[in-house]
Amino acid sequence: MKATEIAAQQHGEAVKLREDTAAILGRLMLVEMTVLPGRVAATLRALHAGIEWETAAMGIKSGQALITALDEASLSFVAVAETVEDRIHNLPNALGPDAGTLIGASRSLNDLAKRMRAKIRVMQDPGDLGGKSHVLYAGAFSEFRGLRKQLSWMLNASIQYAGNFQDFVGVARTDYKDLDALIDPETK
């Protein structure tokens, strides 16, 4: 066998290994990437329910919704992708780099939400025998606008990625049109 034939054979084997690895990664990540837009949207909805956005002096509308939003945003949105992070370069075209972008965005959101969650204070109302409590935020309310923008950006990116990922795996695209209304126009 000539050196060029050996090189061609080795190249073919390397390409086949990469394609097989990509196919396995696709199946490992499929459910996570398909449900990702819905998870981000649910977190964004909880944030919208928790904050009074429409008034000049932003405030907490629902302490429980706010805590839910921050707790959800503190969890990885792409835990499976993070476990295979060192192999996502095997995905074709832009899918690998875009998965890396989503991993980075998830980590950034997690960090921000954890920092914000640490600034939440739940105060029990001493005069209320029913145990009513008030949720206070010991930070700047402008941080909630930043969190909303990051969640909105991730929602938009995850909708696009989910469709491309579903195309790669060979399953029907999910229609996420009902989530578009949640995306901040500035993040599109």
Side-chain angles (χ1 to χ4, degrees):
M1 209 179 226
K2 294 180 185 176
T4 55
E5 291 172 344
I6 293 171
Q9 180 182 354
Q10 289 174 336
H11 175 71
E13 290 170 358
V15 168
K16 174 82 168 108
L17 177 60
R18 182 177 182 193
E19 289 171 349
D20 290 348
T21 301
I24 292 168
L25 290 172
R27 291 300 173 167
L28 282 171
M29 296 169 59
L30 177 61
V31 171
E32 179 173 82
M33 294 305 160
T34 299
V35 301
L36 178 59
R39 285 192 57 218
V40 176
T43 305
L44 193 53
R45 282 187 190 107
L47 181 63
H48 283 194
I51 298 294
E52 180 62 54
W53 302 99
E54 308 308 320
T55 62
M58 276 175 54
I60 297 173
K61 182 169 36 174
S62 168
Q64 187 55 52
L66 177 58
I67 289 170
T68 297
L70 291 174
D71 287 349
E72 285 300 312
S74 295
L75 302 173
S76 175
F77 285 99
V78 289
V80 173
E82 288 177 339
T83 65
V84 297
E85 180 179 0
D86 61 334
R87 293 179 278 161
I88 61 173
H89 64 276
N90 288 295
L91 292 169
N93 305 320
L95 288 179
D98 287 351
T101 299
L102 289 174
I103 290 170
S106 175
R107 288 179 179 158
S108 177
L109 273 166
N110 301 157
D111 180 64
L112 177 61
K114 286 174 187 172
R115 290 173 192 239
M116 293 174 72
R117 180 64 170 92
K119 297 175 188 176
I120 293 284
R121 302 291 178 258
V122 179
M123 309 297 288
Q124 294 301 121
D125 187 346
D128 188 339
L129 297 176
K132 187 174 180 180
S133 61
H134 302 281
V135 174
L136 305 172
Y137 187 65
F141 273 86
S142 60
E143 293 173 305
F144 290 109
R145 285 189 185 94
L147 180 62
R148 181 177 64 182
K149 281 192 179 287
Q150 282 193 22
L151 282 165
S152 182
W153 181 91
M154 185 141 181
L155 177 58
N156 189 45
S158 68
I159 289 170
Q160 292 175 24
Y161 189 79
N164 294 337
F165 200 83
Q166 290 163 345
D167 290 345
F168 162 66
V169 174
V171 299
R173 277 183 173 240
T174 302
D175 180 6
Y176 300 104
K177 287 190 189 317
D178 61 319
L179 305 180
D180 280 344
L182 292 171
I183 299 172
D184 184 332
E186 291 181 22
T187 62
K188 284 189 176 186

